[in-house]
């Protein structure tokens, strides 16, 4: 992909998930300033647990897909260690994870809230398949010779196998989410046990 800004990159899951994270950060900053301005005594600054969790998982998957699948297959070859690449594929995911760890009470997420993490990815899939099936955009300007930004979503090339890939991606999203939930729950139980003692 080119190092120069390109409007076609706005159609990537990476950029859209990064914008989601930064939108959430902006929302959190505004909420924090408002909370500080009315001098509330509690130090609970984690806002909207389920939304934060969804944002965190969605950007973690950006990190994993890039570093485990796209980068080894030559995506952004030669520019992996540039600030542009690291900022969207490493630093933004890291900041989202740190925000979740530092500012949210462990155990505040309900198990029933976990499926909310699929809202943004499903919107992206609908967008991507709609653009691809209608052949609305040719992504050559960002180095992708296809009407589909990602090869695993290319219905023209892979047909029904795309839905198998999508089932796999859903399993990855939910697997990471339930693992994170399990770790948070265990951490909360351990802390409560220590406080009880």
């Amino acid at each position: 992909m080119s190092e120069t800004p390109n409007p076609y990159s706005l159609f990537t899951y990476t950029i859209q998930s990064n914008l989601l994270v930064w939108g959430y950060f902006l929302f959190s900053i505004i909420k924090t300033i408002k909370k500080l301005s009315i001098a509330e005594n509690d130090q609970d600054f984690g806002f909207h647990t389920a939304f934060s969790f969804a944002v965190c998982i969605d950007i973690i998957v950006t990190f994993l897909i890039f570093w485990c699948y796209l980068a080894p297959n030559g995506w952004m070859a030669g520019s992996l260690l540039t600030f542009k690449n690291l900022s969207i594929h490493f630093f933004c995911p890291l900041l989202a994870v740190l925000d979740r760890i530092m500012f949210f009470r462990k155990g505040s997420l309900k198990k029933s809230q976990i499926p909310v993490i699929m809202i943004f990815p499903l919107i992206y899939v609908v967008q991507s398949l709609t653009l691809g099936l209608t052949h609305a955009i040719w992504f050559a300007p960002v180095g992708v010779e296809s009407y589909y930004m990602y090869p695993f979503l290319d219905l023209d090339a892979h047909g029904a196998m795309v839905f198998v890939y999508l089932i796999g991606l859903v399993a990855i999203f939910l697997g990471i989410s339930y693992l994170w939930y399990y770790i948070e729950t265990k951490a909360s139980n351990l802390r409560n046990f220590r406080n009880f003692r």
Side-chain angles (χ1 to χ4, degrees):
M1 294 176 74
S2 171
E3 284 297 311
T4 58
N6 191 312
Y8 286 82
S9 65
L10 290 172
F11 292 100
T12 64
Y13 180 86
T14 298
I15 296 299
Q16 291 186 20
S17 60
N18 272 258
L19 291 174
L20 179 68
V21 171
W22 289 110
Y24 177 73
F25 282 171
L26 178 60
F27 165 78
S28 295
I29 289 168
I30 293 169
K31 290 274 287 185
T32 299
I33 292 170
K34 182 178 177 182
K35 192 167 187 175
L36 290 172
S37 70
I38 58 177
E40 292 187 13
N41 292 324
D42 69 275
Q43 297 299 311
D44 183 14
F45 287 97
F47 305 113
H48 300 281
T49 297
F51 182 36
S52 161
F53 184 72
V55 168
C56 188
I57 297 299
D58 291 340
I59 198 69
I60 285 173
V61 173
T62 293
F63 173 90
L64 292 174
I65 289 177
F66 181 80
W67 293 106
C68 297
Y69 175 77
L70 295 174
N73 284 289
W75 194 272
M76 295 189 74
S79 58
L80 288 178
L81 298 181
T82 62
F83 178 76
K84 173 191 171 183
N85 183 56
L86 291 176
S87 64
I88 60 176
H89 291 121
F90 183 78
F91 295 125
C92 188
L94 178 64
L95 288 172
V97 170
L98 288 176
D99 174 74
R100 181 77 193 174
I101 291 171
M102 292 173 64
F103 297 111
F104 285 83
R105 292 191 312 272
K106 307 301 178 286
S108 60
L109 181 72
K110 296 180 178 67
K111 198 171 186 178
S112 61
Q113 294 174 316
I114 291 176
V116 109
I117 62 110
M118 292 308 305
I119 294 174
F120 171 70
L122 289 176
I123 290 172
Y124 182 81
V125 166
V126 170
Q127 169 203 282
S128 184
L129 294 182
T130 300
L131 291 174
L133 287 169
T134 58
H135 289 187
I137 299 174
W138 180 250
F139 289 107
V142 285
V144 178
E145 299 292 327
S146 175
Y147 292 104
Y148 300 84
M149 180 61 71
Y150 298 104
F152 50 81
L153 292 177
D154 192 336
L155 279 167
D156 295 339
H158 303 296
M161 275 302 295
V162 166
F163 297 102
V164 175
Y165 301 148
L166 288 175
I167 291 170
L169 284 171
V170 169
I172 290 170
F173 272 92
L174 292 177
I176 293 169
S177 300
Y178 282 102
L179 176 62
W180 187 291
Y181 172 79
Y182 174 79
I183 293 170
E184 276 197 357
T185 302
K186 286 294 184 183
S188 174
N189 292 341
L190 181 60
R191 185 182 64 184
N192 292 338
F193 175 73
R194 285 177 175 170
N195 290 342
F196 177 76
R197 291 180 65 191

